[in-house]
Amino acid sequence: MTTLWNKPEISRREFFEKCAEAGAKTFVFGGLVVTTANLLLAQDPEDVRARAEGAVESRLHDTGLGDVRARAEGAPKEAAKGPIYGFVVDTMKCIGCGSCVRACRDENNVPDGFCRTWVEQYTFFPNGEVIVNSPSGGADGFGEDLPSRNMPEELGQLPVRGFFVPKLCNHCINTPCIQVCPVGASYVTREGVVLIDQERCIGCGYCVQACPFGSRYINPQTNTADKCTWCYHRITKGMVPACVQACPAKARIFGSVSDPNSEISQILANNRVQVLKSYLGTNPRTRYIGLDSEVM
Amino acid sequence: MNSARHFIRLLALLAIAAAAFFKARSMVVPADFGKLGHFRASAITDAAAREPRHLGSVTCAECHSEISDPWSKGKHSVPQCENCHGPGMLHVKVVSEDSVDAYPDPIKQNKNALRPTTGIRECEWCHLKTFERPSTLKSIKSVGEHITATGGTFTPASKCTDCHNPHTTAVK
């Protein structure tokens, strides 16, 4: 019988062939064993129940509205674990003053030409044309004349409606940006805040491209990715984000969605809220009141 | 016996490669990486450690009650002091430590370490008429038009604060 060990004249080629064969067999057999073991374990009724509960729990958690079950039972289970934060933007109230953009710049040392939060101006014209404008993110206000409009004279040049939409990082539950980070520099905290580890980030820019909302940029001062943190250094000290504090129209509401008595929980309970680009399934924690279908 | 030697050589190479890999990994990956997820656990405390720069009007009121008292009773009680004057953290530091030297040039030049106000730009941010602004908000088309309409004389040096008290909006 020819085996690996009692055939001294085995050639190098033969040796590697045998090694490859043994490796392949181990791989296939090992896979079978693991799969069978998993199937057998899943038959255990205790385990099945535990898994189902886990799934329900994570689903409740993933609504972005806190632990619904804990609220129903009147037991603030999430409160013991710490808050889960949420953000509401009321577009009906925004006056487009840009205070939020300036406050964010000053608070977070945002370099010129970049924004962690910005305000978009939507203007609708009688021919159906929509002009979206955001000069320097709205930091200098919106007093300027609008760009020229291409429409027949008889329709009239005056806009028919318009509004402002403040934007910021949506702090999604299913984050495309964290998934693509090759070094684990993007992460989400227990409170639901998506952050960037400036020490680990290598500035590859994958996350900047992955974000469908354009919330991220490469900071030219640090050459790392940067974005809105919901002012994590403030909210962990019991303050509100700089933009929320600066807003004179109270169009921005921040707070703990896991506390049913907080202002934001009351607003979420009493309003019809939407998210940006819901069809992408990123499940943002930043929610909007009065979001128009034209808003991208 | 030839094959055994092949085998030992291969194993030795693998062992060296594995040792080199784990050594390199321990040097590159931080110790607390993976403790809370696929990231450096201490990054959270790093992110939370930064100092807030906007302190809120409550802090301003501690020293400037002569301005904040009428402000809080007037029509401008919702916009914060720092919306127009800039973040107050450096100002508090400079005033309490009485030294501007530690800070970079633009702050040294502005001795109170606040954003200089123009008395017109700050007003225009909110009160310039645009179609998108709610009609309930008091807004003007331009400063010149507003001054002419209210019976004043407009000069290029005219400011909103010539007539209005910016903290209460009251006409002087």
Side-chain angles (χ1 to χ4, degrees):
Chain A
M1 190 185 154
T2 312
T3 69
L4 193 63
W5 293 105
N6 63 6
K7 196 186 173 197
E9 65 277 18
I10 183 172
S11 71
R12 181 173 291 223
R13 184 194 180 87
E14 225 173 331
F15 172 75
F16 281 117
E17 274 173 8
K18 294 268 182 199
C19 281
E21 191 189 325
K25 280 177 179 166
T26 315
F27 182 73
V28 172
F29 184 68
L32 277 175
V33 169
V34 170
T35 316
T36 320
N38 273 347
L39 282 173
L40 285 172
L41 277 174
Q43 296 306 312
D44 183 0
E46 276 297 311
D47 189 60
V48 171
R49 199 178 310 136
R51 276 181 195 210
E53 275 172 12
V56 168
E57 193 138 350
S58 69
R59 209 161 47 237
L60 287 173
H61 181 82
D62 283 357
T63 54
L65 298 171
D67 194 334
V68 179
R69 190 175 49 181
R71 198 181 296 181
E73 288 169 359
K77 203 171 122 198
E78 283 297 332
K81 282 196 239 161
I84 291 177
Y85 291 121
F87 201 110
V88 170
V89 178
D90 192 342
T91 60
M92 316 282 272
K93 288 184 181 164
C94 180
I95 59 167
C97 64
S99 296
C100 47
V101 185
R102 289 185 293 274
C104 177
R105 288 213 164 150
D106 292 337
E107 182 72 34
N108 299 302
N109 208 11
V110 180
D112 283 345
F114 297 91
C115 288
R116 291 187 179 199
T117 183
W118 65 99
V119 180
E120 291 173 2
Q121 180 189 38
Y122 283 74
T123 316
F124 294 72
F125 292 96
N127 64 345
E129 196 183 342
V130 186
I131 291 180
V132 188
N133 205 12
S134 187
S136 27
D140 305 323
F142 285 97
E144 302 296 313
D145 283 339
L146 280 168
S148 63
R149 305 143 209 162
N150 306 313
M151 69 181 85
E153 193 69 41
E154 63 270 21
L155 278 174
Q157 302 284 303
L158 290 175
V160 282
R161 70 193 178 102
F163 48 80
F164 292 102
V165 181
K167 299 239 178 118
L168 67 158
C169 173
N170 285 280
H171 293 269
C172 305
I173 291 164
N174 303 319
T175 48
C177 53
I178 294 181
Q179 288 170 33
V180 297
C181 182
V183 291
S186 268
Y187 60 97
V188 58
T189 72
R190 193 177 35 76
E191 301 104 321
V193 186
V194 179
L195 295 175
I196 299 164
D197 182 353
Q198 302 291 347
E199 274 183 37
R200 271 197 86 66
C201 178
I202 54 171
C204 68
Y206 284 171
C207 57
V208 178
Q209 297 195 37
C211 175
F213 306 101
S215 302
R216 291 183 171 227
Y217 59 91
I218 298 287
N219 188 328
Q221 287 159 3
T222 58
N223 282 324
T224 56
D226 219 343
K227 71 172 199 63
C228 160
T229 61
W230 276 351
C231 282
Y232 194 71
H233 60 293
R234 295 173 64 89
I235 59 176
T236 45
K237 296 178 179 72
M239 307 164 96
V240 292
C243 59
V244 176
Q245 183 173 293
C247 183
K250 298 214 179 299
R252 290 166 175 253
I253 304 104
F254 177 84
S256 163
V257 290
S258 49
D259 171 12
N261 298 317
S262 69
E263 188 193 2
I264 191 166
S265 293
Q266 294 298 318
I267 284 167
L268 285 170
N270 297 316
N271 282 283
R272 283 151 289 266
V273 291
Q274 291 138 294
V275 294
L276 290 170
K277 299 188 183 181
S278 60
Y279 54 89
L280 291 175
T282 63
N283 207 351
R285 285 188 202 274
T286 302
R287 278 141 197 276
Y288 282 81
I289 297 173
L291 200 62
D292 198 270
S293 62
E294 307 287 342
V295 178
M296 294 170 289
Chain B
M1 281 320 287
N2 220 6
S3 66
R5 230 173 41 231
H6 288 312
F7 212 75
I8 288 160
R9 271 187 202 158
L10 193 67
L11 281 178
L13 276 174
L14 276 174
I16 291 166
F21 171 77
F22 283 111
K23 177 69 188 158
R25 191 180 187 278
S26 72
M27 283 163 73
V28 173
V29 179
D32 57 348
F33 193 93
K35 211 171 121 193
L36 300 173
H38 189 66
F39 61 96
R40 192 169 59 91
S42 51
I44 295 184
T45 39
D46 288 359
R50 207 148 52 84
E51 198 174 16
R53 291 185 183 174
H54 288 78
L55 307 170
S57 297
V58 184
T59 313
C60 307
E62 285 176 21
C63 299
H64 301 284
S65 57
E66 79 285 358
I67 299 170
S68 76
D69 283 350
W71 165 81
S72 63
K73 293 183 195 93
K75 286 181 185 170
H76 259 181
S77 62
V78 181
Q80 302 279 300
C81 309
E82 287 160 316
N83 281 18
C84 297
H85 295 287
M89 187 263 281
L90 270 179
H91 170 70
V92 171
K93 275 192 175 176
V94 164
V95 170
S96 56
E97 290 166 15
D98 206 23
S99 163
V100 204
D101 298 337
Y103 299 102
D105 273 338
I107 294 160
K108 274 185 216 167
Q109 284 159 20
N110 173 21
K111 292 286 182 194
N112 63 5
L114 286 170
R115 193 163 58 203
T117 52
T118 62
I120 182 161
R121 186 186 55 171
E122 290 77 20
C123 314
E124 285 183 341
W125 282 334
C126 294
H127 294 292
L128 219 49
K129 200 188 264 316
T130 75
F131 183 77
E132 296 77 9
R133 278 194 180 129
S135 52
T136 48
L137 186 78
K138 279 201 170 170
S139 52
I140 57 166
K141 217 168 177 182
S142 73
V143 180
E145 196 206 50
H146 177 67
I147 290 179
T148 319
T150 49
T153 327
F154 176 72
T155 65
S158 294
K159 288 180 188 175
C160 306
T161 47
D162 291 347
C163 302
H164 292 275
N165 178 342
H167 299 125
T168 60
T169 74
V171 180
K172 284 173 186 169

